[in-house]
């Protein structure tokens, strides 16, 4: 059993006698009000399986029970968990999502054994600390971006990450499905996207300065039914899945599959293959009507795979991410066809041409009841009217977008890119970027002080991004993501004070219990004392940056 003060993310209010407990045993029943069925099934299938408790249905007023209720006096994702001796445990939520987040807290209160898949102490007594937790999230968007394009993550790995997100009360999975190095989603009308575009002949091992290569094909993709399964699995956990299809840059895999999508008047696009290297690729989409029609066809199938109404508590299932970042303009400058398009549209130049490209899809999505979101480069040349912004190049893009009345997700590279190294020193595997320790992530503040109260309301929340160029398998992803994702989750959920005033010592104390939960889940996190021998990558070059990262 964990204490009520060991919960991560930290709840808003905790009260109760520290020396009392409410037992859960084989006689405990589970009563669920209408509308809480997902959490009822999750409790039986996850908590019941871990602790060996059948949790059968029973009477609403049974004293030895766990009861799930909806309470419209609470905000949609808020919950109230009360454990009272002689009356059992009651979880009230402002919506089904709130009930589910309360169930995640209940699991933490039952200790690390509750995070296993089968009971390791089948005859042990289980108990919940007596008391009341009242809780609600600070931000609506609490996201994790997984890059499955650079290194493919098989479907089971994505489902596992959805469970890990749910355990930390994160509610948006941004799935980066396409890039120069691979196309990861089946599109039936364009089969070559996966037949050709989903695999590359070899892969650079380490940063792009590394001389090492893995000389074997790498690839994989999700079938449409795989995507439907991922979306449904996420929805049962009240997580919205936001797909990203990159345009007009980061598109070499698509051009390798369909050469006509590229700038054929300046490049022999038929000779291009799926890229095997890292960095910013010069091969971008041609700004033609045929390219627009092609991607409309892609997005038509994508909208069917990612329905707008799968997660209603936040509405974030309506979003589709179109990238828009790191689009070099050299080919457009050299292309007579692109220059003719600029003249035909009366545009000011190449930046405006990218803005036109993004604006086309903004209008296309809006007409279908959806919302476009893109990286902050979509601000260049003028921001599309209904677009939201993922602010990655520091805070500046998010500040500009919020001041212009656009919604923002804060994910600045210098603060919450989890591919960046966690400590100085030679033991860190493939060190990328600035040092971002567990404490650094804990002191990340998503709302910049430059925004006034009205502008700050456009900050939907925050997101941690996981780019996988140097993460070749699940073990590497685990190492880079954890334990820092626990600190990020608390930033996104809890009502924390200003960064300098945050009690990191208390967070570290609670992490002592949380490491046991991660161990039970089989997460290969970075230990506080540094990497284990098998987590190191000696001799594999990274790209470390020295000194403190820029704050803006």
């Amino acid at each position: 059993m964990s204490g009520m003060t060991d919960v991560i993310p930290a709840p808003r209010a905790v009260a109760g006698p520290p020396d009392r407990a409410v037992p859960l045993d084989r006689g405990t029943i589970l009563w669920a009000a209408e509308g809480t069925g997902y959490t009822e099934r999750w409790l039986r299938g996850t908590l019941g399986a871990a602790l060996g408790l059948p949790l059968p249905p029973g009477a609403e007023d049974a004293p030895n029970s766990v009861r799930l209720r909806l309470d419209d006096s609470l905000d949609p994702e808020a919950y109230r968990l009360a454990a009272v001796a002689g009356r059992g445990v009651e979880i009230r939520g402002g919506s089904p999502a709130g009930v589910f987040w309360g169930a995640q807290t209940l699991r933490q209160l039952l200790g690390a054994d509750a995070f296993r898949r089968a009971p390791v102490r089948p005859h042990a007594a289980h108990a919940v600390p007596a008391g009341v937790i009242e809780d609600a999230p600070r931000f609506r968007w609490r996201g994790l971006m997984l890059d499955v394009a650079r290194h493919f993550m098989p479907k089971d790995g994505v489902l596992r990450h959805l469970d890990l997100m749910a355990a930390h009360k994160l509610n948006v999975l941004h799935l980066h499905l396409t890039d120069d190095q691979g196309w990861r989603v089946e599109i039936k009308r364009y089969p070559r996207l996966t037949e050709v575009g989903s695999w590359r002949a070899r892969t650079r091992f380490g940063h792009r300065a590394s001389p090492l290569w893995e000389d074997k094909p790498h690839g994989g993709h999700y079938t449409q039914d795989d995507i439907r399964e991922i979306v449904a699995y996420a929805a049962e956990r009240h997580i919205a899945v936001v797909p990203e299809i990159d345009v007009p840059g980061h598109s070499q895999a698509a051009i390798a599959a369909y050469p006509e999508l590229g700038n054929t008047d300046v490049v022999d696009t038929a000779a291009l293959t799926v890229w095997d290297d890292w960095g910013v690729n010069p091969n971008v989409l041609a700004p033609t009507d045929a390219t627009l029609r092609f991607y409309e066809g892609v997005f038509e199938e994508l909208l069917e795979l990612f329905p707008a109404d799968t997660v209603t508590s936040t509405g974030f299932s309506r979003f589709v991410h179109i990238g828009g970042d790191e689009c070099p303009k050299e080919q457009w400058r050299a292309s007579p066809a692109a220059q003719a398009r600029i003249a035909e549209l009366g545009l000011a130049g190449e930046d405006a041409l990218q803005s036109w490209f993004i604006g086309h899809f903004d209008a296309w999505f809006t007409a279908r009841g959806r919302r476009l979101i893109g990286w902050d480069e979509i601000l260049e040349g003028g921001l599309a009217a209904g677009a939201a912004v993922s602010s990655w190049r520091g805070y500046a893009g998010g500040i500009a977008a919020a001041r212009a009345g656009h919604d923002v997700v804060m994910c600045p590279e210098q603060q919450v890119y989890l591919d960046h190294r966690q400590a100085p020193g030679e033991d860190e595997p493939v060190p990328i970027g600035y040092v971002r320790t567990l404490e650094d992530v804990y002191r990340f503040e998503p709302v910049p002080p430059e925004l006034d109260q009205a502008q700050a309301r456009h900050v939907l929340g925050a997101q941690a991004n996981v780019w996988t160029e140097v993460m070749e398998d699940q073990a590497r992803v685990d190492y880079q993501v954890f334990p820092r994702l626990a600190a990020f989750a608390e930033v996104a959920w809890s009502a924390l004070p200003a960064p300098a005033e945050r009690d990191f010592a208390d967070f570290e104390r609670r992490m002592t219990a949380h490491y046991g939960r991660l161990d039970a889940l089989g997460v290969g996190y970075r230990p506080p004392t540094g990497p284990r021998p098998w987590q190191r990558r000696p001799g594999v070059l990274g790209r470390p940056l020295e000194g403190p990262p820029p704050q803006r």
Side-chain angles (χ1 to χ4, degrees), residues 332-352:
W332 289 352
R333 291 189 187 100
S335 164
Q339 291 301 312
R341 195 73 199 245
I342 289 171
E344 171 198 337
L345 295 168
L347 300 176
E350 290 78 19
D351 283 349

Side-chain angles (χ1 to χ4, degrees), residues 205-206 210-212 426 428-431 536-542:
F205 194 62
S210 169
L212 305 176
E426 295 181 0
E428 284 303 303
V430 202
R536 299 170 186 158
R537 294 292 187 276
V540 182
L541 288 178

Side-chain angles (χ1 to χ4, degrees), residues 141 318-324 354-355 357-366 370-380 382-391 397-398 400-409 458 460:
W141 187 298
R318 292 176 56 210
F319 280 93
V320 177
H321 206 292
I322 49 74
Q354 177 168 341
S355 185
F357 205 107
I358 300 300
H360 173 87
F361 286 106
D362 184 33
W364 191 89
F365 284 121
T366 300
R370 306 301 280 264
R371 290 193 65 187
L372 177 146
I373 184 168
W375 303 111
D376 55 58
E377 282 94 331
I378 68 174
L379 293 161
E380 297 168 4
L383 182 61
V389 167
S390 302
S391 187
R403 284 176 172 167
H406 296 274
D407 288 340
V408 179
V409 175
H458 285 291
L460 297 175

Side-chain angles (χ1 to χ4, degrees), residues 263 265-267 280-284 326-336 338-339 350-351 354:
N263 294 283
D265 53 350
V266 292
V267 177
V280 178
N281 188 297
N283 293 296
V284 302
E326 296 179 328
C327 177
K329 309 298 193 298
E330 285 78 13
Q331 289 185 1
W332 289 352
R333 291 189 187 100
S335 164
Q339 291 301 312
E350 290 78 19
D351 283 349
Q354 177 168 341

Side-chain angles (χ1 to χ4, degrees), residues 196-510:
V196 173
S198 70
W199 67 276
R200 57 183 181 264
R202 64 174 189 168
T203 299
R204 187 182 291 279
F205 194 62
H207 183 256
R208 55 183 176 268
S210 169
L212 305 176
W213 292 88
E214 186 176 43
D215 284 306
K216 69 175 185 180
H218 175 86
H221 73 275
Y222 309 111
T223 68
Q224 294 203 347
D225 280 348
D226 289 338
I227 292 291
R228 291 184 181 99
E229 180 183 357
I230 288 168
V231 170
Y233 194 85
E236 290 180 352
R237 286 147 184 80
H238 303 279
I239 297 171
V241 183
V242 174
E244 179 179 351
I245 302 292
D246 259 304
V247 297
H250 286 289
S251 296
Q252 183 161 321
I255 296 168
Y258 292 92
E260 65 272 21
L261 295 174
N263 294 283
T264 56
D265 53 350
V266 292
V267 177
D268 179 10
T269 56
L272 294 176
T273 60
V274 178
W275 207 25
D276 57 13
D277 211 345
W278 315 126
V280 178
N281 188 297
N283 293 296
V284 302
L285 297 175
T288 65
D289 286 341
T291 299
L292 297 181
R293 300 292 88 76
F294 182 97
Y295 275 87
E296 287 170 0
V298 169
F299 287 126
E300 281 173 7
E301 292 194 26
L302 206 74
L303 295 191
E304 191 272 325
L305 298 175
F306 294 88
D309 58 353
T310 52
V311 177
T312 57
S313 56
T314 60
F316 295 148
S317 298
R318 292 176 56 210
F319 280 93
V320 177
H321 206 292
I322 49 74
D325 65 315
E326 296 179 328
C327 177
K329 309 298 193 298
E330 285 78 13
Q331 289 185 1
W332 289 352
R333 291 189 187 100
S335 164
Q339 291 301 312
R341 195 73 199 245
I342 289 171
E344 171 198 337
L345 295 168
L347 300 176
E350 290 78 19
D351 283 349
L353 183 62
Q354 177 168 341
S355 185
W356 164 81
F357 205 107
I358 300 300
H360 173 87
F361 286 106
D362 184 33
W364 191 89
F365 284 121
T366 300
R368 288 155 182 79
R370 306 301 280 264
R371 290 193 65 187
L372 177 146
I373 184 168
W375 303 111
D376 55 58
E377 282 94 331
I378 68 174
L379 293 161
E380 297 168 4
L383 182 61
V389 167
S390 302
S391 187
W392 77 274
R393 295 180 299 176
Y395 288 88
I399 292 169
R403 284 176 172 167
H406 296 274
D407 288 340
V408 179
V409 175
M410 285 295 186
C411 50
E413 175 185 18
Q414 304 89 340
Q415 317 301 325
V416 288
Y417 268 34
L418 300 186
D419 48 307
H420 285 204
R421 58 194 174 130
Q422 303 187 61
E426 295 181 0
D427 284 345
E428 284 303 303
V430 202
I432 300 293
Y434 295 101
V435 172
R436 292 287 82 192
T437 65
L438 184 66
E439 181 172 359
D440 290 330
V441 174
Y442 191 66
R443 298 193 190 280
F444 164 58
E445 174 48 50
V447 180
E450 292 91 334
L451 299 181
D452 63 30
Q453 192 171 3
Q455 294 163 349
R457 281 197 287 271
H458 285 291
V459 179
L460 297 175
Q463 182 169 288
N465 292 346
V466 184
W467 300 102
T468 61
E469 288 93 336
V470 299
M471 296 179 222
E472 70 276 9
D473 55 27
Q474 177 177 292
R476 284 286 294 123
V477 175
D478 275 10
Y479 179 90
Q480 291 297 135
V481 170
F482 291 98
R484 292 184 295 181
L485 192 69
F488 172 80
E490 184 147 312
V491 168
W493 177 278
S494 305
L496 297 177
E501 299 163 16
R502 294 177 187 171
D503 190 348
F504 181 68
D506 179 69
F507 178 76
E508 280 191 305
R509 179 193 64 77
R510 287 179 286 123

Side-chain angles (χ1 to χ4, degrees), residues 143-151 153-155 157-162 164-165 172-178 184 222 242-244 375 418 463-468 471 477-478 481-482 485:
L144 174 70
M145 190 224 68
L146 270 180
D147 169 21
V148 297
R150 270 52 176 271
H151 277 100
M153 179 178 286
K155 180 194 68 178
V158 177
L159 300 180
R160 173 179 178 265
H161 270 271
L162 287 166
L164 292 171
M165 289 176 66
V172 179
L173 174 63
H174 171 176
L175 205 53
H176 183 79
L177 288 165
T178 72
R184 305 293 177 216
Y222 309 111
V242 174
E244 179 179 351
W375 303 111
L418 300 186
Q463 182 169 288
N465 292 346
V466 184
W467 300 102
T468 61
M471 296 179 222
V477 175
D478 275 10
V481 170
F482 291 98
L485 192 69

